[in-house]
Structures are given as C-alpha cells and as structure tokens.
Amino acid sequence: MARDSFAGKICLVTGAARGIGGAIARAFTEEGAQVVMTDVLGPELDDHANSLGQIGVHHDVADEQGWRDLIKMIEDRFGRLDILVNNAGYGWLKNITEIALEDWRRLMAVNVDGVFLGMKHAIPLMARGGGGAIVNMSSMYGTVGNAGTAAYCASKGAVTMMTKAVALECAEAGNGIRVNSIHPGYVRTPSVAETLTTEQIDVLRALHPMDRLADPMEIARSTLFLASSDASFMTGAELHVDGGFTAR
Ligand SMILES: NC(=O)c1ccc[n+]([C@@H]2O[C@H](COP(=O)([O-])OP(=O)(O)OC[C@H]3O[C@@H](n4cnc5c(N)ncnc54)[C@H](O)[C@@H]3O)[C@@H](O)[C@H]2O)c1
C-alpha cells in the first residue's frame, strides 16, 4: 500500500536555503505539502523558496523570539503545523584544546538550542492540530565519536538524546506527535563541497562501506519516510542513512 500523500500538510523546515534542508523542502513540495522554509541566508532562501513556490522566512534557529513569531505566523496563516524538520546546523574541525569558548557556545546555540526551541514552540501547535511528526537532523557523529569534531559530536549527541526524551514525553502525553532523528553519513552539500578539497572528499568517501557520499535527496527521502504514516509506530528512533558508516 502506498503511503499517504502530504497534500494539505503544513511542514516547517529549518536551514532550508540549500543542502539537505533545501532538498527536504523540495521533496515535501513534490509531495504536495505546504512548506515554510527558514534560514539565515536571506537571498539564497528567497531564491529557493520562490523556485518551489513556498514561503521563506529569515530566521536564526537560536533566536527564541523569532521562534515565537514564526509559530504564530504559521498558526495565523494555516491554523496548524503537521511536520517540523529541525535541520539547521553546522560544524568545524578543531581539537578540544584549540576550541574557543565563544565558538563552542555558538555551535551549541545553533545545533542544540535551535532543536530545543523548535520543539518547545512547535509542539503545542502540533498537538492542538491532533499530532504530527518531528524529524531532528543528527549525524553519524551523534552516535559515534570522531577526532577533531568534539563540539559537533557533543551537539549531535545532544540532538540524539533530546529526540528520545521528547518522543517519550509526547507518547506519555498522547498528543499524536512522533519524534525521530536522522543520522546521515557525509552528504554532498555546500558545507562539504565548499570546505573540503577533492582529495579530502576522497578520504571521506572511503570511510563509507558503500564507497560514496550521500546525495541530499537520499536524506530528504528518509525524512519523508519518518514524517509519513509508513513510520506510524516509530518514535524515539535513530535512522542511520550513512552507507554503512556506523555498521562496522
Ligand atoms: N553534509 C553532511 O555531510 C552532513 C552529515 C551529517 C549531518 N549533517 C547535518 O545536516 C544538516 C544540514 O547540513 P548541510 O550539510 O545541508 O549544511 P549546509 O551548510 O549545506 O546547509 C545548512 C543550512 O542551514 C543554515 N543555517 C545555519 N545556521 C543556521 C541558523 N542559525 N539558523 C537558521 N539556519 C541556519 C545554513 O545557512 C544553510 O542554508 C546539519 O544539521 C548538519 O549538521 C550534515
């Protein structure tokens, strides 16, 4: 049996100007959803949202008042929210002894506070509409360690565990909201392509038993699955989409 269509569903995707979030916004659009796309990259967001015929909102996920305004806008305009994808995030390479506290705090503000604030402010509206699905973007580095990415690993580990705790809160509340995390391996996105040389990307490719990086659409399709009724008995789960990276 084919899964339900997303026609008429209201979906919010953070970090949607490009990369994985951009692909997720495209995938939900192709499935008929109304997508609200947010990002800090104003012009890129506007271009992508316009090309998809969707709404772009300039918003930093670390800004709590911005979350209040965003959720109110969605309630006023659509009256409901069915799907939240907390995708915005970033990382850098630095050993623990080299990390400046302000850089650590900014990374945590985006990767961890952003996911916390998204769920805090979206859940009441989703619950009033009868439930829905939250997908939080973690990483393979939210379950295994990696030298040089202590801050990123700590932030994605927090996303992994926050997802499970909130999944249990929602199940206990009986509000109909499922909460799961996705754990991509390395994905060919601007953040990877812009910061790494071809030789470095070859090294990353070899880390994956499937001997390649993911295409952003492969992560987007996994997001659709978790948000769909095909995943109706999944909550608090980690979905690894990593070409076998964490299987060994
Ligand atoms: N690319 C990978 O290999 C990979 C692997 C595992 C997990 N991830 C995760 O997937 C998510 C998307 O990564 P990507 O590779 O597409 O990165 P990307 O840099 O290509 O895209 C991320 C988007 O998020 C936006 N963003 C960053 N900070 C923001 C903020 N404070 N508020 C709102 N938007 C913000 C950026 O402007 C950008 O448009 C991130 O959470 C990342 O950690 C990526």
Side-chain angles (χ1 to χ4, degrees):
M1 190 177 71
R3 64 172 154 73
D4 298 347
S5 141
F6 287 98
K9 298 285 186 194
I10 312 300
C11 175
L12 170 58
V13 183
T14 69
R18 64 180 201 175
I20 294 170
I24 291 170
R26 178 180 300 283
F28 276 107
T29 300
E30 288 170 356
E31 295 279 334
Q34 172 74 62
V35 186
V36 178
M37 302 162 58
T38 74
D39 209 290
V40 286
L41 289 180
E44 272 192 53
L45 175 70
D46 293 344
D47 285 352
H48 191 36
N50 287 339
S51 76
L52 296 179
Q54 302 287 10
I55 299 167
V57 178
H58 301 181
H59 173 232
D60 180 335
V61 293
D63 170 14
E64 182 162 28
Q65 188 54 46
W67 273 108
R68 290 191 189 97
D69 297 343
L70 176 64
I71 296 299
K72 181 169 184 324
M73 183 277 284
I74 292 171
E75 181 158 31
D76 290 348
R77 192 152 178 170
F78 304 108
R80 58 186 295 117
L81 177 64
D82 302 295
I83 296 153
L84 168 65
V85 183
N86 282 312
N87 164 77
Y90 71 103
W92 25 253
L93 270 174
K94 218 165 243 185
N95 284 353
I96 192 84
T97 52
E98 307 299 324
I99 299 172
L101 181 56
E102 65 179 319
D103 292 342
W104 168 278
R105 285 189 173 145
R106 175 62 187 160
L107 188 141
M108 293 299 159
V110 175
N111 291 10
V112 183
D113 298 6
V115 176
F116 151 61
L117 292 171
M119 293 197 287
K120 172 181 171 180
H121 291 287
I123 282 174
L125 177 58
M126 294 176 75
R128 283 198 292 280
I134 298 174
V135 180
N136 293 327
M137 198 57 63
S138 182
S139 164
M140 74 286 205
Y141 293 144
T143 52
V144 298
N146 180 56
T149 58
Y152 186 75
C153 287
S155 73
K156 293 301 185 180
V159 171
T160 305
M161 293 311 299
M162 190 177 2
T163 297
K164 293 180 193 304
V166 177
L168 295 174
E169 288 181 17
C170 289
E172 273 184 20
N175 61 17
I177 302 173
R178 296 180 298 100
V179 192
N180 294 290
S181 54
I182 294 203
H183 302 253
Y186 282 98
V187 187
R188 278 194 185 278
T189 62
S191 64
V192 169
E194 283 168 7
T195 53
L196 301 173
T197 63
T198 310
E199 291 72 33
Q200 287 172 317
I201 290 178
D202 280 345
V203 171
L204 298 183
R205 178 176 51 71
L207 296 174
H208 301 74
M210 288 180 72
D211 199 29
R212 66 177 177 85
L213 271 57
D215 182 272
M217 256 309 162
E218 293 180 290
I219 311 306
R221 282 195 287 270
S222 304
T223 307
L224 286 183
F225 164 68
L226 282 180
S228 79
S229 59
D230 278 352
S232 53
F233 201 48
M234 289 181 72
T235 199
E238 299 168 26
L239 184 59
H240 290 264
V241 189
D242 64 5
F245 189 106
T246 51
R248 41 183 176 208

